Amino acid sequence: RDRDVTGVQTCALPISMPAWTLPELLVVMILSGLIFLALSEATDLVGRFTGYLTERWVRTEGELSACHRLDELISRTDSIAVQDAGLQLYCRDTSLAVLQVSDSLLCCDYRNRKDTLLCCVEKMMLRGDTLILQLCLPQGKIRYRWNIHKTVWP
């Protein structure tokens, strides 16, 4: 050891911290509260936005699923007959399904099982060998088209 060093060493860290005055402490508490409120509002906003995206995804997925099921149904048919109530789909000369629009719903009677494929259907048209469904959604009107390439009976 060095004989010249006496008392407390000068390189040691101070043990005490400076004290805050009451106004400084109040400012820090108010700022902490404002940051907490902003973060809780942001968390709530993110939750609502996530819910909106989930609802939108489910709605879009439902439409895609219905279009896929309709596409699969049409691909199984070999001929289509136009009726007053809608379209009669045939496979190997036996009735496969009936498609009709009722109260803006596209209903399918598939082998005596009724199902609603799409909602907000404004029109179902058959032009030549193209089936056209016109939907009236809040975003606007959408048209789905299927090229059937099947025998169409009037």
Side-chain angles (χ1 to χ4, degrees):
R1 293 198 157 179
D2 194 357
R3 292 181 207 190
D4 296 335
V5 176
T6 58
V8 179
Q9 295 181 352
T10 56
C11 64
L13 294 174
I15 296 174
S16 65
M17 291 179 49
W20 288 12
T21 63
L22 185 59
E24 291 173 336
L25 186 61
L26 289 174
V27 167
V28 168
M29 288 176 65
I30 289 171
L31 288 177
S32 299
L34 290 175
I35 290 172
F36 174 76
L37 287 175
L39 287 175
S40 68
E41 283 295 317
T43 304
D44 183 47
L45 183 64
V46 167
R48 283 187 285 158
F49 184 68
T50 305
Y52 167 75
L53 287 180
T54 302
E55 178 184 319
R56 184 173 157 201
W57 179 77
V58 166
R59 187 173 52 239
T60 305
E61 184 68 25
E63 287 175 15
L64 292 177
S65 174
C67 290
H68 176 72
R69 288 189 298 164
L70 185 58
D71 187 45
E72 187 177 324
L73 184 64
I74 290 174
S75 68
R76 288 185 196 168
T77 64
D78 52 22
S79 58
I80 299 174
V82 179
Q83 295 180 339
D84 294 336
L87 299 176
Q88 180 81 33
L89 307 177
Y90 291 94
C91 179
R92 297 186 187 115
D93 295 330
T94 59
S95 178
L96 180 66
V98 176
L99 294 176
Q100 59 187 0
V101 177
S102 173
D103 296 328
S104 76
L105 300 173
L106 178 64
C107 300
C108 175
D109 188 357
Y110 179 76
R111 296 185 178 162
N112 296 323
R113 289 186 305 230
K114 295 187 186 251
D115 190 13
T116 302
L117 294 179
L118 286 170
C119 61
C120 303
V121 177
E122 196 173 80
K123 304 184 213 184
M124 178 173 64
M125 300 172 278
L126 190 62
R127 291 194 181 152
D129 61 351
T130 304
L131 174 64
I132 301 170
L133 287 177
Q134 182 169 321
L135 304 180
C136 187
L137 299 173
Q139 303 91 309
K141 292 187 179 184
I142 298 175
R143 282 190 172 186
Y144 290 111
R145 297 173 187 262
W146 284 270
N147 289 328
I148 300 174
H149 303 295
K150 313 285 183 197
T151 305
V152 178
W153 301 340

